[in-house]
Amino acid sequence: IFFSHPTPSPAMLRSLVGSEMCIRDSLFPVFMLVSLILSLINKKIRIGLTGRMRAYKQLQVFMNNTEKNQLIYWFHVASLGEYEQAKPIISGLKEVEPKALFVMSFFSPSGYNNVDDDHIDCKIYLPLDFIWSIKKCLRLVKPKKLILAAYDVWPNLIWSANSLGIHTSLFAATFSKKTSKSLFIIRQFYKSVYNAFSSIYTITKRDHEQLIKILFPYEKPIIKALGNPRYDQVKQKSDKFTVERTISVLLRPKRLLIGSTHLEDEDILLDPTIDLMNDIEDLSLLWAPHEPTKRNVARLKKYFSSKSVSTELLGIKNPNEINSKVIIVDSVGRLSQLYWDAQIAYLGGGFSTGVHNMMEPAIARLPIFFGPKYHNFPEAIELIKVGGGFPIENGRDFSLGIKNLLEDNNLFLNASYAATDVIHRNLGSSTRIVRGIIHD
């Protein structure tokens, strides 16, 4: 993605960054044109683009109904998953600043359409990342602090906030060793972006060290390794399931939950899953596509029906109310609860964009399988290290791994407890981040 008219970087970087700025200036209109064309055929892009164009008017309405000099925090997240990281931070800030108002901006419709939080006073799509549109919105709202989650860093948003004297924080930041941000020319650009932050809170010490390398020799922001608040969020959500947590995971139905799958996951798993259900008579399946559109749900139902496997849509029912070998999840927002009705989970994305949130199945005491693209996700690496997570390269790895766990109760229970222990050992990040946002 390309951006226009950033605030100048330090003098010694201008010659290196200047040409890149010119490229962004010339290509950003092209990017916009492509987005407009794609919006004609892609509903998700169209919804997001339309929402971004309406953001300023929504903010105007909000500010017209807000008292002058009201304390406002502006949070930005990419989508629903990153909102889960921000939620305990918002709750913590609300406890400390009960009269504060919260603006939440989203990049993806999956976040904007599915988040309903009483703590959020104004929900918008992130305005288009032109410097004039961003500054216009920031000048209107005048937030005390702009707070971003994880990775969705928009340069003009950061540079504009910095030029307006607005404190900016990034939390749950992670940087892999192989990140392109470490390459020399690219690093000059990201150095100018990250140096415009007031504070950056990484997940691990390794992330902290990688960020220091990107920023060297300039280190303007306060940098601390404070962990991942998503651990706290999944723990809070799981507290609703007290009864289920007292029952051994072995007493649950022998059910495999395959969640947040992309087409690439289906290509790997569909046939091996049929083989597993044929080999293990009492094994059933919950399958939740990442985007449960009618088309995706219909495709899965057609496949299982072609294999003569009884299949039913979940709808609003509880899985234990359905007497079917395969249950397809046809709505969003159910996964965190459904993990408690299974024994083993596979998390999608690892054969395409990167694995999805593994913390919710972990707190539900499920051993977790996932594809090979997990190296940018610290929780996946930690799960593998303690024996609660299992990366696979192909369908054979998947089938053998599932069989091994279901045939050996000791192996299964060790993996189950190891997965949950990862959550408990990482609690407390939210409190540390809230403290940092307030005091740094």
Side-chain angles (χ1 to χ4, degrees):
I1 298 174
F2 301 94
F3 309 90
S4 60
H5 307 300
T7 300
S9 56
M12 67 182 300
L13 297 179
R14 285 174 185 163
S15 61
L16 290 169
V17 183
S19 60
E20 186 176 350
M21 292 177 180
C22 292
I23 293 172
R24 287 197 311 275
D25 289 349
S26 60
L27 288 183
F28 191 75
V30 176
F31 167 74
M32 282 299 303
L33 179 61
V34 172
S35 297
L36 286 169
I37 294 171
L38 290 176
S39 70
L40 298 175
I41 57 176
N42 187 302
K43 183 178 179 181
K44 189 173 182 180
I45 294 176
R46 183 166 63 253
I47 292 172
L49 194 58
T50 303
R52 271 174 267 289
M53 293 176 176
R54 289 201 307 257
Y56 182 75
K57 288 186 177 180
Q58 288 179 274
L59 288 173
Q60 275 187 316
V61 172
F62 169 65
M63 294 306 297
N64 286 338
N65 291 288
T66 299
E67 293 182 9
K68 191 176 181 180
N69 298 321
Q70 174 70 53
L71 174 60
I72 299 174
Y73 289 98
W74 182 329
F75 279 80
H76 173 69
V77 298
S79 60
L80 184 60
E82 288 67 42
Y83 159 75
E84 295 292 343
Q85 288 178 308
K87 188 173 182 179
I89 308 303
I90 295 173
S91 298
L93 274 175
K94 192 68 174 179
E95 289 181 10
V96 179
E97 302 272 16
K99 295 184 179 180
L101 300 181
F102 294 91
V103 172
M104 173 73 82
S105 59
F106 296 87
F107 178 76
S108 168
S110 69
Y112 184 88
N113 293 334
N114 295 297
V115 169
D116 184 15
D117 188 333
D118 291 338
H119 288 146
I120 298 174
D121 300 284
C122 179
K123 182 173 69 170
I124 61 169
Y125 280 97
L126 181 70
L128 293 170
D129 198 54
F130 290 111
I131 197 164
W132 56 86
S133 57
I134 290 293
K135 276 195 172 182
K136 187 178 180 182
C137 292
L138 290 174
R139 286 192 178 109
L140 174 66
V141 177
K142 298 177 183 177
K144 179 179 181 181
K145 295 189 177 182
L146 174 67
I147 304 161
L148 287 79
Y151 63 84
D152 203 40
V153 175
W154 292 84
N156 279 324
L157 177 65
I158 306 309
W159 283 317
S160 296
N162 183 53
S163 70
L164 294 172
I166 298 170
H167 183 105
T168 53
S169 295
L170 174 66
F171 69 90
T174 183
F175 305 89
S176 69
K177 286 186 178 180
K178 296 181 180 179
T179 177
S180 61
K181 296 173 185 177
S182 297
L183 300 176
F184 183 71
I185 295 297
I186 297 176
R187 184 166 66 90
Q188 308 312 310
F189 168 64
Y190 280 105
K191 183 187 297 185
S192 68
V193 175
Y194 290 121
N195 265 314
F197 275 97
S198 307
S199 57
I200 300 177
Y201 308 125
T202 66
I203 291 179
T204 67
K205 290 183 179 179
R206 187 200 69 181
D207 297 318
H208 182 280
E209 293 166 359
Q210 286 296 112
L211 178 57
I212 294 295
K213 291 178 182 178
I214 294 171
L215 292 174
F216 182 83
Y218 304 101
E219 296 177 17
K220 177 194 169 186
I222 296 169
I223 305 171
K224 298 177 181 178
L226 297 183
N228 192 341
R230 186 174 283 177
Y231 288 107
D232 298 311
Q233 174 61 8
V234 297
K235 175 62 168 60
Q236 291 172 12
K237 289 175 71 174
S238 74
D239 285 343
K240 294 185 297 182
F241 304 103
T242 303
V243 176
E244 287 88 342
R245 291 206 316 280
T246 63
I247 302 174
S248 170
V249 68
L250 285 175
L251 297 180
R252 299 177 193 171
K254 190 173 288 184
R255 183 181 287 132
L256 171 63
L257 192 156
I258 298 181
S260 298
T261 55
H262 298 229
L263 288 174
E264 293 84 351
D265 299 295
E266 292 182 20
D267 292 341
I268 297 292
L269 299 182
L270 280 172
D271 289 344
T273 301
I274 293 293
D275 294 337
L276 278 170
M277 288 190 291
N278 289 334
D279 293 342
I280 305 173
E281 186 177 352
D282 54 345
L283 180 65
S284 60
L285 175 67
L286 260 171
W287 193 299
H290 178 55
E291 293 188 356
T293 61
K294 291 182 179 179
R295 182 177 180 180
N296 288 338
V297 169
R299 183 182 61 254
L300 287 167
K301 187 174 183 180
K302 181 179 179 181
Y303 172 83
F304 287 114
S305 297
S306 72
K307 300 296 181 180
S308 301
V309 178
S310 58
T311 307
E312 189 171 337
L313 304 186
L314 179 62
I316 62 173
K317 296 179 182 177
N318 182 294
N320 295 326
E321 298 172 350
I322 299 175
N323 184 23
S324 184
K325 195 77 168 174
V326 174
I327 301 173
I328 300 174
V329 182
D330 53 343
S331 62
V332 297
R334 299 285 304 271
L335 266 183
S336 62
Q337 299 175 27
L338 294 174
Y339 290 124
W340 294 88
D341 293 303
Q343 288 190 332
I344 299 175
Y346 171 89
L347 262 292
F351 286 95
S352 52
T353 58
V355 293
H356 290 287
N357 178 17
M358 283 178 275
M359 298 180 193
E360 289 176 344
I363 195 66
R365 298 177 65 177
L366 272 61
I368 307 163
F369 289 78
F370 43 88
K373 294 184 180 180
Y374 63 84
H375 296 90
N376 291 337
F377 302 87
E379 62 272 21
I381 295 171
E382 190 168 359
L383 281 165
I384 295 170
K385 189 181 300 183
V386 300
F390 306 89
I392 65 168
E393 295 285 342
N394 49 54
R396 185 173 183 274
D397 291 346
F398 174 72
S399 296
L400 288 176
I402 299 294
K403 284 183 179 179
N404 287 340
L405 288 180
L406 292 179
E407 292 173 357
D408 187 333
N409 283 354
N410 287 330
L411 181 65
F412 177 90
L413 287 174
N414 286 337
S416 170
Y417 289 129
T420 303
D421 192 50
V422 167
I423 303 297
H424 290 284
R425 285 191 285 109
N426 284 280
L427 295 176
S429 173
S430 299
T431 301
R432 294 190 293 271
I433 292 172
V434 169
R435 190 181 298 125
I437 289 173
I438 292 173
H439 297 294
D440 288 343

